[in-house]
RNA sequence: GGCCCGUUCGUCUAGGGGUUAGGACAUCUCCCUUUCACGGAGGAAACACGAGUUCGAUUCUCGUACGGGCUACCA
C-alpha cells in the first residue's frame, strides 16, 4: 500500500528564517501538495544555547506570509504532538538506549576540554581529530573502559553523551532523489553524538525519531546535510526502521550573488538586499534586518522567484502562482548545482506581479501613503478610489514597486513648487508667454474636459502662435508637473481637471 | 588537509550522442512614444580543460582544474 505523502520543514529557532530556509520549506510544501499529502512544521530546538526568543513565531509568520500552509505542527497541532523537540526530550532517550543495548551506540564520558585537547594535538601533527573507529578505543568511553569502570561512572552520575558506533570498512550507499546514488566509506564517518550530556538529543537522532514517529515519507533538506546522511542511514538500520526510512532529497544551496559561499543569515543587509522574508529585530542587539515584505515585494513574487532558483518547470513559463507551482512541481526538475541569488531578477518578478494586480487594489493600498506624503484630507477627491485608481493606471508601467507610486506621481496629488530648470533653461523663449496665456484662456472656455480635447486645444493654440507643438510640449509638462518626465501628458491633464491645470499653469508662468 | 556534491551565455536555466545549443534577467541597437517607462523587433553573449568510448561528443567514462558543502555534546 502506498503511504500518504508527508513532508516536513524542521527549522531551528536560532533567529529569523532566511530565504534559503524559505525555499527549502517551499519545495517540501510543493512536493507534499503536489502529491495530495501533508506538510508539517516541526521546531528543532534541541540546542538550548542557541535559542532566540521570537524566532519560532517569526518562522510561522514568514511561512504564512508566503502562503505556505501548515497541516500539522507547532502552530496548528495535529495527531503527532508535540511538534517542538524540546518537549519530546524523553522520547529520544529511549531510542538512544535501544541503540546502546543493541551495541550500536555507547556512552562517551569525554569532557569538552578533553576533546578540545585531542583536536589540538591532532592539529599540531597536521591531522584532523575524528571520534571514530580509529580513535574510539583510546578515548574515555564504554567501549574502551571496563564494564566495572563504566558502572561506576554511571552510578556516580558522571556526565556522558551517547555516540553512534560507526562500523569499520563498510561502504554506505543510498539513493538521493536529486543526486542519485551516493556512497561513503564508513571509516571516514565519525561517531556522531546522539544524545548530549544535557540529555537533549542532537539533530542526528532527533530528526530520525521524529520523522519516523511523524510518518514522514520524504525528507527534503539542504545539501549541507549530505555528509551526515550515511550516519542517518545507519541509525535507521540499527533501529530496525530501514523500511520506514523516508526518501532523502538534498537540495542545492542558495549562493551569495557576489562570489563565494552559501547565503547565510549573517549576510543581513551587507549585500544590499534583504535575506529575510520579513523584517527582523534582533531581541538582544536591537539591530533591524530588512525583509522582503517591508521592502515592498509581493509574497507571490518572492515565492515565484524562490521557486525558480534551483527548479524549473521544463517549459518556458516563468510566472507562476501557488496553484500553478503545485501543479508543475517535481523533484526531478530540481537542479543539482547551487544557485546564485539575483536581485535584478527578483525585482523583475515583483514588477511582473505588480502588473497583474488590479488597479483598484493597489489604489486602496497606496491611499494611506499618499495621505501621509501629501497631507491632503481624507475627503479630498484626490484620495477617492476613482482618482487613485486612475493614478495607478498611469503610474503602473513606470515603477517596479507599488510603494514608489506616491512619490513618483507626487504631481498627481500636489501642485509643483519647483520646476525642472534644465528643461526651462533649454527650451524657454520669452515669446512663448503669449502662447501659454492663450492656452490657459482656451482651456477656460472649454465646456468639456478630456484628454483628447486638451490635446487638440494645445495643438491648435500652438498653430495660432506659429509654434510647433514639440517646442512647448515639454515646457507644458514641466509647468503642470514640475518634472521633465512622467506619466502620459494629456491623460494626466484630464485627470487633474481643468481648474487645476489652469491654476498650475498660471502659477508656473509667474516663475519664468 | 580529508570526504562528499557540483560545473551550459555575466546571472537563473532548457537540452542531451548528430541542434543554427533554446528561453528569462541584465546589457546593447532600433521601433513605438514630441518625456520617462511599458511594449515590440533585433544584437552580443555559454557547453571549464585533457584523455577515453564512438563514425560522431556539450551530452557517456576517467582524470585535472575550479566552485560549493561538511569536517561540534550547532542545526
Amino acid at each position: 500500500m502506498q503511504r500518504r505523502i508527508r513532508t516536513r520543514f524542521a527549522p531551528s529557532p536560532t533567529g529569523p528564517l532566511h530565504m534559503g530556509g524559505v525555499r527549502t520549506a517551499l519545495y517540501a510544501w510543493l512536493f507534499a501538495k503536489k502529491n495530495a499529502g501533508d506538510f508539517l512544521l516541526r521546531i528543532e530546538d534541541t540546542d538550548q544555547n542557541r535559542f532566540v526568543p521570537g524566532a519560532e513565531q517569526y518562522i510561522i509568520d514568514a511561512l504564512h506570509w508566503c502562503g505556505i500552509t501548515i497541516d500539522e505542527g507547532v502552530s496548528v497541532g495535529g495527531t503527532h504532538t508535540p511538534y517542538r523537540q524540546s518537549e519530546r526530550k524523553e522520547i529520544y532517550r529511549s531510542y538512544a538506549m535501544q541503540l546502546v543495548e543493541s551495541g550500536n551506540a555507547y556512552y562517551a564520558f569525554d569532557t569538552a576540554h578533553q576533546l578540545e585537547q585531542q583536536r589540538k594535538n591532532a592539529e599540531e601533527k597536521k591531522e584532523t581529530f575524528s571520534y571514530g573507529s580509529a580513535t574510539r578505543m583510546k578515548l574515555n568511553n564504554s567501549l574502551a573502559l571496563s564494564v566495572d569502570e563504566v558502572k561506576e561512572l554511571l552510578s556516580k552520575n558522571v556526565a556522558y553523551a551517547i555516540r553512534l558506533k560507526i562500523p569499520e570498512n563498510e561502504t554506505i550507499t543510498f539513493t538521493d532523489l536529486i543526486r542519485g546514488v551516493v556512497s561513503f566509506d564508513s571509516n571516514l564517518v565519525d561517531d556522531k553524538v546522539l544524545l548530549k550530556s544535557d540529555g537533549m538529543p542532537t539533530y542526528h537522532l532527533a530528526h530520525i525519531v521524529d520523522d519516523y514517529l511523524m510518518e514522514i515519507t520524504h525528507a527534503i533538506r539542504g545539501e549541507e546535510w549530505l555528509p551526515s546522511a550515511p550516519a542517518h542511514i545507519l541509525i535507521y538500520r540499527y533501529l530496525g526502521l530501514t523500511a520506514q526510512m523516508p526518501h532523502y532529497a538534498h537540495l542545492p544551496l542558495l549562493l551569495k550573488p557576489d562570489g563565494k559561499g552559501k547565503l547565510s543569515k549573517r549576510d543581513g543587509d551587507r549585500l544590499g538586499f534583504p535575506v529575510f522574508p520579513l523584517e527582523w529585530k534582533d531581541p538582544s542587539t536591537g539591530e533591524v534586518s530588512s525583509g522582503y515584505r517591508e521592502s515592498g515585494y509581493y509574497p507571490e513574487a518572492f515565492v515565484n522567484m524562490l521557486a525558480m532558483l534551483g527548479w524549473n518547470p521544463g517549459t518556458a513559463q516563468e510566472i507562476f502562482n501557488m496553484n500553478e507551482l503545485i501543479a508543475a512541481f517535481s523533484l526531478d526538475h530540481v537542479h543539482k548545482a547551487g544557485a546564485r541569488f539575483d536581485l535584478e531578477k527578483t525585482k523583475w518578478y515583483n514588477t511582473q506581479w505588480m502588473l497583474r494586480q488590479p488597479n483598484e487594489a493597489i489604489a486602496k493600498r497606496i491611499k494611506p501613503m499618499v495621505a501621509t506624503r501629501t497631507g491632503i484630507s481624507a475627503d479630498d477627491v484626490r484620495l477617492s478610489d476613482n482618482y487613485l485608481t486612475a493614478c495607478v493606471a498611469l503610474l503602473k508601467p513606470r515603477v517596479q514597486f507599488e510603494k514608489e507610486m506616491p512619490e513618483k506621481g507626487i504631481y498627481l496629488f500636489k501642485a509643483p513648487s519647483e520646476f525642472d530648470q534644465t528643461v526651462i533653461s533649454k527650451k524657454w523663449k520669452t515669446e512663448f508667454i503669449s502662447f501659454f496665456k492663450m492656452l490657459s484662456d482656451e482651456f477656460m472656455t472649454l465646456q468639456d474636459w478630456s484628454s483628447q480635447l486638451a490635446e487638440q486645444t494645445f495643438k491648435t493654440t500652438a498653430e495660432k502662435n506659429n509654434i510647433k507643438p514639440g517646442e512647448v510640449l515639454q515646457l507644458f509638462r514641466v509647468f503642470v508637473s514640475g518634472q521633465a518626465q512622467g506619466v502620459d501628458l494629456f491623460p494626466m491633464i484630464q485627470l487633474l481637471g481643468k481648474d487645476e491645470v489652469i491654476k498650475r499653469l498660471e502659477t508656473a508662468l509667474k516663475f519664468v
Side-chain angles (χ1 to χ4, degrees):
Chain A
M1 194 187 86
Q2 190 76 34
R3 285 203 288 168
R4 183 179 174 81
I5 300 294
R6 285 163 68 83
T7 64
R8 49 40 175 192
F9 179 55
S12 167
T14 55
L17 187 60
H18 79 76
M19 55 197 290
V22 176
R23 192 189 60 156
T24 303
L26 176 65
Y27 284 18
W29 182 83
L30 287 172
F31 183 79
K33 296 298 118 181
K34 166 80 178 190
N35 294 288
D38 303 321
F39 173 77
L40 330 215
L41 174 65
R42 184 171 73 217
I43 297 294
E44 309 223 327
D45 56 347
T46 53
D47 186 353
Q48 292 154 328
N49 301 319
R50 296 212 302 156
F51 176 81
V52 173
E56 181 182 309
Q57 190 56 46
Y58 179 97
I59 291 163
I60 293 164
D61 293 344
L63 295 180
H64 181 256
W65 182 67
C66 292
I68 297 172
T69 53
I70 299 160
D71 297 304
E72 275 183 50
V74 83
S75 53
V76 295
T79 49
H80 299 73
T81 48
Y83 292 94
R84 206 175 276 121
Q85 288 183 333
S86 59
E87 295 167 15
R88 301 170 64 81
K89 192 174 173 182
E90 291 318 309
I91 300 173
Y92 308 113
R93 170 166 292 275
S94 62
Y95 284 88
M97 292 315 297
Q98 187 187 324
L99 289 168
V100 171
E101 278 151 29
S102 64
N104 294 302
Y106 57 89
Y107 297 106
F109 301 98
D110 319 84
T111 63
H113 178 71
Q114 287 167 341
L115 293 174
E116 208 176 296
Q117 275 308 320
Q118 292 290 343
R119 282 194 193 93
K120 210 180 268 177
N121 295 157
E123 209 174 309
E124 277 165 20
K125 287 183 263 172
K126 298 223 163 175
E127 287 166 9
T128 310
F129 170 70
S130 176
Y131 206 124
S133 52
T135 54
R136 67 168 82 100
M137 294 314 286
K138 293 177 210 133
L139 292 155
N140 197 10
N141 57 57
S142 61
L143 261 23
L145 268 23
S146 72
V147 178
D148 288 342
E149 284 171 314
V150 172
K151 253 186 206 160
E152 195 188 333
L153 286 167
L154 288 176
S155 71
K156 285 197 329 224
N157 284 325
V158 170
Y160 64 85
I162 291 177
R163 282 180 183 267
L164 182 65
K165 187 182 167 193
I166 301 282
E168 282 178 72
N169 305 321
E170 204 182 299
T171 301
I172 303 156
T173 298
F174 76 101
T175 303
D176 181 88
L177 259 23
I178 291 167
R179 284 146 219 289
V181 176
V182 183
S183 50
F184 297 83
D185 176 355
S186 70
N187 295 334
L188 274 355
V189 179
D190 66 332
D191 286 354
K192 302 228 175 303
V193 170
L194 300 176
L195 205 68
K196 300 184 264 187
S197 56
D198 65 0
M200 277 291 190
T202 59
Y203 170 85
H204 305 294
L205 208 220
H207 96 272
I208 285 169
V209 169
D210 288 345
D211 281 354
Y212 162 63
L213 292 174
M214 295 178 186
E215 301 175 79
I216 299 302
T217 56
H218 297 261
I220 299 171
R221 58 178 14 173
E223 194 187 357
E224 70 266 31
W225 292 109
L226 203 46
S228 50
H232 304 157
I233 305 297
L234 253 20
I235 296 172
Y236 275 104
R237 186 191 297 171
Y238 295 151
L239 251 17
L241 297 174
T242 301
Q244 286 86 347
M245 184 172 85
H247 299 286
Y248 277 98
H250 291 93
L251 264 25
L253 266 13
L254 235 46
L255 274 16
K256 298 178 206 288
D258 60 349
K260 320 271 170 229
K262 68 169 173 175
L263 201 57
S264 87
K265 286 180 184 180
R266 287 163 297 279
D267 289 324
D269 288 291
R270 185 179 66 82
L271 270 10
F273 60 87
V275 290
F276 303 117
L278 317 178
E279 187 174 278
W280 166 260
K281 185 174 179 186
D282 188 293
S284 56
T285 65
E287 192 189 340
V288 175
S289 304
S290 72
Y292 282 88
R293 184 225 258 159
E294 290 74 13
S295 301
Y297 288 85
Y298 299 108
E300 293 89 342
F302 179 64
V303 163
N304 198 161
M305 173 278 294
L306 281 182
M308 304 303 283
L309 261 186
W311 170 83
N312 75 84
T315 67
Q317 187 178 350
E318 301 241 30
I319 305 300
F320 287 85
N321 65 29
M322 271 298 203
N323 286 333
E324 291 169 326
L325 282 176
I326 292 169
F329 192 77
S330 149
L331 242 26
D332 38 56
H333 272 99
V334 174
H335 204 246
K336 289 186 179 78
R340 195 155 285 154
F341 172 75
D342 184 349
L343 213 218
E344 290 309 315
K345 190 125 190 197
T346 304
K347 287 180 185 165
W348 177 79
Y349 276 110
N350 201 69
T351 307
Q352 291 304 309
W353 276 94
M354 184 194 63
L355 261 13
R356 286 163 173 76
Q357 302 284 316
N359 293 163
E360 297 74 19
I362 297 180
K364 282 202 169 63
R365 290 192 293 261
I366 65 167
K367 188 173 179 166
M369 289 186 260
V370 173
T372 27
R373 175 65 181 78
T374 60
I376 51 188
S377 65
D379 57 349
D380 193 296
V381 280
R382 289 168 298 180
L383 283 184
S384 68
D385 291 347
N386 281 344
Y387 189 87
L388 284 168
T389 301
C391 292
V392 170
L394 252 23
L395 256 5
K396 219 180 190 181
R398 275 156 247 270
V399 297
Q400 286 189 294
F401 296 88
E402 61 181 45
K403 70 169 186 179
E404 296 171 43
M405 290 182 181
E407 190 56 48
K408 191 99 179 174
I410 186 67
Y411 48 82
L412 296 171
F413 310 106
K414 265 174 75 174
S417 51
E418 285 173 10
F419 302 91
D420 188 303
Q421 288 305 317
T422 320
V423 171
I424 291 173
S425 59
K426 204 161 89 183
K427 304 243 174 174
W428 179 252
K429 291 181 188 159
T430 34
E431 59 261 38
F432 290 159
I433 191 85
S434 54
F435 161 75
F436 281 106
K437 283 198 166 142
M438 189 189 290
L439 183 65
S440 177
D441 293 341
E442 294 285 345
F443 280 164
M444 201 95 73
T445 63
L446 290 176
Q447 296 299 310
D448 291 323
W449 185 249
S450 72
S451 169
Q452 295 79 1
L453 217 46
E455 185 167 1
Q456 194 52 53
T457 308
F458 185 85
K459 281 183 178 158
T460 49
T461 309
E463 278 164 28
K464 282 182 202 164
N465 286 272
N466 285 319
I467 293 170
K468 282 187 221 155
E471 292 182 82
V472 280
L473 199 83
Q474 188 75 338
L475 285 163
F476 183 41
R477 171 185 293 283
V478 170
F479 290 161
V480 177
S481 75
Q483 300 181 11
Q485 53 200 41
V487 302
D488 292 336
L489 183 55
F490 290 103
M492 169 179 89
I493 295 302
Q494 175 183 326
L495 182 62
L496 287 172
K498 189 170 95 172
D499 295 346
E500 178 70 14
V501 171
I502 292 168
K503 205 169 90 189
R504 289 189 183 187
L505 207 44
E506 284 172 356
T507 310
L509 291 176
K510 288 179 205 154
F511 282 84
V512 290

